[in-house]
């Protein structure tokens, strides 16, 4: 069994709204109750007949019902990390999968594992969508192939030596930051190109660390 605790449910009918949503989404709802936090705030709890749960996906879904709702805790869940194959199949709608994947590793190895996963997804996307036609050199390849690939995640600003994502879906300020997945994605994408294999990608700025935007720089030989 999994118990989900949600805050922000002060308004009348919040319990039933969330319960109806969970049932419609196919979650096996077994129980529900209203309780209070130590500070007296109203909380709602739901018990689901399951052992594995994508916490990030559920939190995003609950947030869509009302911006006031927040998943405070998920107890009893054994989070099933998605595979590289899962992420490749769901591309580009993979931010929640990447976060769940990152959560499955201890902090000491998380960034390294995210980079490696990103490399595989980046190389796969290049071969699948961008390997046709004449190979391009940097910086032309950056603007004509890599930037369009990154724009599937959101707005991208680019120069010949860096790209910036003002609102990267992988940068969870206040959550686990998975920005290194994008470092790996860009590195794998460029490594897969015959004329861009000498390019090196580095993360230069990150919103999760207090910067205004997430920026990645490129070094390469002309």
């Amino acid at each position: 069994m999994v118990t989900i605790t949600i805050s922000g449910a002060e308004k009348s009918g919040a319990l039933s709204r969330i319960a109806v949503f969970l049932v419609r989404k196919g979650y096996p709802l077994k129980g529900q109750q209203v309780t209070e936090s130590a500070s007296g705030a109203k909380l709602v709890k739901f018990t689901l007949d399951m052992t594995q749960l994508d916490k990030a996906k559920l939190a995003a879904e609950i947030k869509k019902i009302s911006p006031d709702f927040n998943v405070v805790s998920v107890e009893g869940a054994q989070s099933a990390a998605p595979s590289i194959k899962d992420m490749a199949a769901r591309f580009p709608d993979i931010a929640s999968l990447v976060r769940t994947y990152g959560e499955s590793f201890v902090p000491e190895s998380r960034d390294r594992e995210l980079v490696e996963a990103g490399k595989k997804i980046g190389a796969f996307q290049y071969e699948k969508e961008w390997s046709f036609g004449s190979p391009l050199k940097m910086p032309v390849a950056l603007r004509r192939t890599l930037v369009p690939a990154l724009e599937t995640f959101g707005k991208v600003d680019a120069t010949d030596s860096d790209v910036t994502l003002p609102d990267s879906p992988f940068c969870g300020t206040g959550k686990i930051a998975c920005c290194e997945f994008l470092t790996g994605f860009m590195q794998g994408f460029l490594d897969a190109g015959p004329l861009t294999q000498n390019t090196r990608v580095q993360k230069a700025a990150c919103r999760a660390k207090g910067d205004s935007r997430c920026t990645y720089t490129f070094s390469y030989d002309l």
Side-chain angles (χ1 to χ4, degrees):
M1 292 289 182
V2 175
T3 300
I4 307 164
T5 302
I6 300 171
S7 66
E10 307 290 342
K11 294 181 180 179
S12 177
L15 181 69
S16 61
R17 284 181 66 192
I18 300 173
V20 169
F21 175 83
L22 291 172
V23 171
R24 286 179 177 174
K25 282 290 185 177
Y27 289 98
L29 183 60
K30 291 298 181 182
Q32 57 195 49
Q33 69 177 113
V34 178
T35 184
E36 288 185 353
S37 67
S39 62
K42 184 177 179 181
L43 302 172
V44 292
K45 291 191 175 185
F46 298 89
T47 301
L48 306 179
D49 188 13
M50 56 196 308
T51 58
Q52 294 185 336
L53 181 68
D54 185 337
K55 300 177 186 178
K57 178 183 177 183
L58 175 65
E61 290 177 337
I62 294 297
K63 202 74 174 175
K64 288 180 180 179
I65 306 174
S66 169
D68 295 329
F69 296 158
N70 290 291
V71 175
V72 177
S73 66
V74 178
E75 300 171 18
Q78 299 173 8
S79 181
S83 65
I84 301 296
K85 184 177 180 180
D86 293 333
M87 290 187 276
R90 289 272 301 274
F91 189 91
D93 185 24
I94 60 173
S96 64
L97 293 180
V98 170
R99 185 164 289 112
T100 301
Y101 184 82
E103 287 175 344
S104 69
F105 297 99
V106 296
E108 292 76 13
S109 63
R110 182 176 296 133
D111 284 352
R112 182 176 66 253
E113 296 295 341
L114 286 168
V115 167
E116 292 305 312
K119 284 181 178 179
K120 293 176 182 177
I121 300 295
F124 177 77
Q125 284 302 311
Y126 176 85
E127 295 293 344
K128 179 183 177 183
E129 303 289 347
W130 302 96
S131 61
F132 308 102
S134 300
L136 301 173
K137 294 182 179 181
M138 292 289 282
V140 177
L142 171 65
R143 295 185 178 275
R144 292 189 184 177
T145 60
L146 180 58
V147 167
L150 291 172
E151 286 177 334
T152 61
F153 299 129
K155 178 177 171 55
V156 177
D157 297 322
T159 69
D160 287 351
S161 60
D162 63 63
V163 297
T164 298
L165 287 83
D167 191 24
S168 171
F170 303 101
C171 185
T173 53
K175 306 175 184 177
I176 291 176
C178 298
C179 305
E180 291 296 358
F181 173 83
L182 272 189
T183 305
F185 178 87
M186 289 185 271
Q187 189 68 66
F189 188 98
L190 294 170
D191 284 348
L195 302 182
T196 54
Q197 295 175 348
N198 67 334
T199 306
R200 290 295 168 261
V201 183
Q202 283 189 307
K203 185 174 69 173
C206 178
R207 287 191 302 122
K209 295 183 178 180
D211 298 308
S212 60
R213 311 167 107 195
C214 293
T215 300
Y216 301 81
T217 60
F218 303 87
S219 57
Y220 52 89
D221 298 325
L222 292 175

